[in-house]
Amino acid sequence: QVQLVESGGGVVQPGRSLRLSCAASGFTFSTYGIHWVRQAPGKGLEWVALISYDGGKKYYADSVKGRFTISRDNSKNTLYLQMNSLRAEDTAVYYCAKDGKQYCSGGNCYFFDSWGQGTLVTVSS
Amino acid sequence: DIQMTQSPSSLSASVGDRVTITCRASQSINNYLNWYQQKPGKAPKLLIYAASSLQSGVPSRFSGSGSGTDFTLTISNLHPEDFATFYCQQSHTIPLTFGGGTKVEIK
């Protein structure tokens, strides 16, 4: 059974940093790309970042580019999101979500077939 | 970026009703369109991928259609557990983008 468990959320002051983790189990982690998707309170879904199955390719939304870094450790079945220079508008529940197909390299598999429960990040002074 | 526009933003329906939600892309995305259901306080759940493929375990009352720029999610016989917010998402081009959501409420 696929399981994704996020951790690391909390309250942080503007301009500070936070690192989120996503622990995966129940599937061959090293063969799937993984995404971060966020949802501000009462708002819709926003894609944040994607890392390919082998970590060789990384993509970011413009809203976080240059501030956030996605990474993975396939030996630990864990995904990370390093968030620097946090802003109030980064306040959201952050979900990790798995690609729909193995070894994804294109749009026919950039959909999210399993999600974690989410971790809340609040940026406030 | 590809803009995804859902309509309506909300609707009221009764158990047993047939419900249709539409999603329009700002440019052609072939069939790279996916649908999710989200209940309050929960993570989204994949319903349909590649415009019309039903995700494993999803009831057959959910169906999707369309290609190019115009897509539809249909719930053929609304069940009590279907009241939720539904989102479309394009997987044609990065950045991946979502529609604004359609909230399906009980009439």
Side-chain angles (χ1 to χ4, degrees), chain A residues 17-123:
Chain A
S17 299
L18 204 61
R19 189 177 84 155
L20 306 183
S21 299
C22 170
S25 61
F27 65 102
T28 307
F29 182 73
S30 61
T31 66
Y32 286 89
I34 309 288
H35 305 254
W36 288 100
V37 177
R38 68 184 181 183
Q39 186 169 36
K43 302 298 184 183
L45 299 167
E46 179 187 18
W47 174 81
V48 173
L50 158 65
I51 186 167
S52 62
Y53 61 92
D54 61 357
K57 296 181 180 179
K58 303 177 184 181
Y59 304 94
Y60 300 92
D62 285 347
S63 57
V64 307
K65 200 172 294 183
R67 300 187 300 122
F68 289 13
T69 301
I70 190 171
S71 62
R72 66 190 295 161
D73 186 338
N74 284 348
S75 68
K76 296 182 178 178
N77 287 355
T78 303
L79 172 77
Y80 304 99
L81 186 67
Q82 177 67 43
M83 303 186 295
N84 298 333
S85 303
L86 282 161
R87 306 167 179 167
E89 54 265 35
D90 295 320
T91 294
V93 173
Y94 284 73
Y95 297 100
C96 57
K98 163 184 163 296
D99 262 342
K101 297 181 184 179
Q102 291 178 298
Y103 305 114
C104 181
S105 61
N108 65 339
C109 46
Y110 288 155
F111 55 90
F112 319 116
D113 71 347
S114 296
W115 299 64
Q117 85 288 352
T119 187
L120 176 62
V121 173
T122 302
V123 184

Side-chain angles (χ1 to χ4, degrees), chain B:
Chain B
D1 298 3
I2 297 177
Q3 308 302 317
M4 306 301 295
T5 304
Q6 279 183 244
S7 61
S9 56
S10 66
L11 65 89
S12 295
S14 301
V15 171
D17 282 355
R18 180 183 182 90
V19 168
T20 299
I21 299 168
T22 62
C23 181
R24 175 165 289 176
S26 60
Q27 64 186 73
S28 177
I29 57 171
N30 299 321
N31 70 332
Y32 295 160
L33 190 283
N34 314 297
W35 290 98
Y36 302 86
Q37 176 191 55
Q38 187 180 33
K39 297 181 180 180
K42 299 295 187 181
K45 171 188 173 183
L46 177 67
L47 299 176
I48 302 284
Y49 63 95
S52 60
S53 295
L54 190 68
Q55 173 68 355
S56 175
V58 175
S60 58
R61 63 181 180 272
F62 292 94
S63 64
S65 64
S67 66
T69 60
D70 294 318
F71 301 87
T72 299
L73 173 71
T74 300
I75 312 172
S76 62
N77 174 19
L78 203 61
H79 281 44
E81 61 268 30
D82 298 337
F83 292 94
T85 299
F86 295 84
Y87 294 93
C88 62
Q89 174 245 329
Q90 64 83 14
S91 50
H92 181 274
T93 304
I94 288 175
L96 308 177
T97 48
F98 291 88
T102 296
K103 187 173 184 179
V104 177
E105 299 175 299
I106 302 173
K107 183 182 286 184

